[in-house]
Amino acid sequence: EGTLLTYFVDGTQDHAREDVELGLVYSLDGGETWSDRLYTTMEGMPADTIVVDPSLVWLDDGRVRLYYFDFTTGVVPGGPVPEGKSVYSSYDFHKAISENGIDFVYEGLVYTTDQLITDPDVIEFQDEWMMYFMSHEDVSMMVSTSDDPLAFSSQEEVNNNGIPGVIVVEDEVWLFSCG
């Protein structure tokens, strides 16, 4: 409590697709100073998974749930297809759980579709879970709602475009986007 955490996709190791890691820095003094870069770990994650687009939710029991896009399932339109891969049949968001915010245990898929999606951002609001994400097929932001934070299935378009950032402020949901 009182610690600021910033999670990010860190591709600085060798700048290759397979060298992407989930990094974090923290501050104990309200953002005045920050720690050196740390890297998360994940037990049980499927082989060749590349964790990007992290969204973290602190649970009432003190654990942290990580939602993320698996970069190996997605191909940016017009972009290169990784060696040994063909056209993808699904695009996947996954979930993992952590006691300390650094060491995660893989929990499984949380959302999958045949449309190119990226950048999940998950919140809990008034006993409902909302996962916002970017749909490249629809060129629109989407939201999937669920009573269960472990499974999302339907989606609806949000009157907005871009990569979502969503927070709860008192009794409102604030939605930001980067087009």
Side-chain angles (χ1 to χ4, degrees), residues 12-42:
T12 61
Q13 300 304 314
D14 287 322
H15 299 290
R17 184 180 178 107
E18 65 275 3
D19 296 315
V20 172
E21 295 184 72
L22 183 61
L24 73 118
V25 292
Y26 64 88
S27 174
L28 301 173
D29 58 12
E32 295 276 329
T33 60
W34 291 88
S35 71
D36 290 336
R37 182 180 334 200
L38 302 171
Y39 293 100
T40 62
T41 65
M42 191 171 318

Side-chain angles (χ1 to χ4, degrees), residues 12 15 22 29 33 60 65 77 83 99 128 146 160-161:
T12 61
H15 299 290
L22 183 61
D29 58 12
T33 60
D60 291 339
R65 177 157 290 120
E83 187 176 324
E99 298 285 334
E128 186 172 50
S146 177
N160 202 343
N161 185 19

Side-chain angles (χ1 to χ4, degrees), residues 1-171:
E1 191 170 320
T3 301
L4 298 176
L5 297 163
T6 300
Y7 290 82
F8 52 89
V9 177
D10 186 349
T12 61
Q13 300 304 314
D14 287 322
H15 299 290
R17 184 180 178 107
E18 65 275 3
D19 296 315
V20 172
E21 295 184 72
L22 183 61
L24 73 118
V25 292
Y26 64 88
S27 174
L28 301 173
D29 58 12
E32 295 276 329
T33 60
W34 291 88
S35 71
D36 290 336
R37 182 180 334 200
L38 302 171
Y39 293 100
T40 62
T41 65
M42 191 171 318
E43 180 183 318
M45 181 173 62
D48 301 324
T49 299
I50 299 175
V51 177
V52 297
D53 304 338
S55 174
L56 292 106
V57 176
W58 268 254
L59 305 175
D60 291 339
D61 64 7
R63 295 181 303 161
V64 181
R65 177 157 290 120
L66 166 67
Y67 298 90
Y68 66 91
F69 176 59
D70 176 6
F71 199 41
T72 64
T73 66
V75 175
V76 176
V81 177
E83 187 176 324
K85 299 280 186 173
S86 61
V87 176
Y88 293 98
S89 59
S90 73
Y91 298 90
D92 302 330
F93 294 150
H94 299 260
K95 61 189 176 298
I97 195 82
S98 175
E99 298 285 334
N100 62 14
I102 297 173
D103 303 304
F104 289 87
V105 175
Y106 180 76
E107 293 182 299
L109 285 172
V110 70
Y111 188 83
T112 188
T113 181
D114 61 355
Q115 296 185 4
L116 177 56
I117 56 173
T118 60
D119 302 284
D121 204 3
V122 178
I123 60 166
E124 180 184 18
F125 182 69
Q126 297 179 347
D127 298 322
E128 186 172 50
W129 291 87
M130 301 173 183
M131 179 172 54
Y132 290 82
F133 54 92
M134 177 61 188
S135 169
H136 296 265
E137 301 283 333
D138 296 321
V139 190
S140 179
M141 191 182 303
M142 308 298 266
V143 63
S144 179
T145 58
S146 177
D147 293 334
D148 180 0
L150 303 179
F152 293 86
S153 59
S154 63
Q155 67 183 31
E156 63 182 82
E157 191 170 335
V158 176
N159 189 16
N160 202 343
N161 185 19
I163 297 169
V166 62
I167 59 172
V168 175
V169 178
E170 295 176 9
D171 62 347

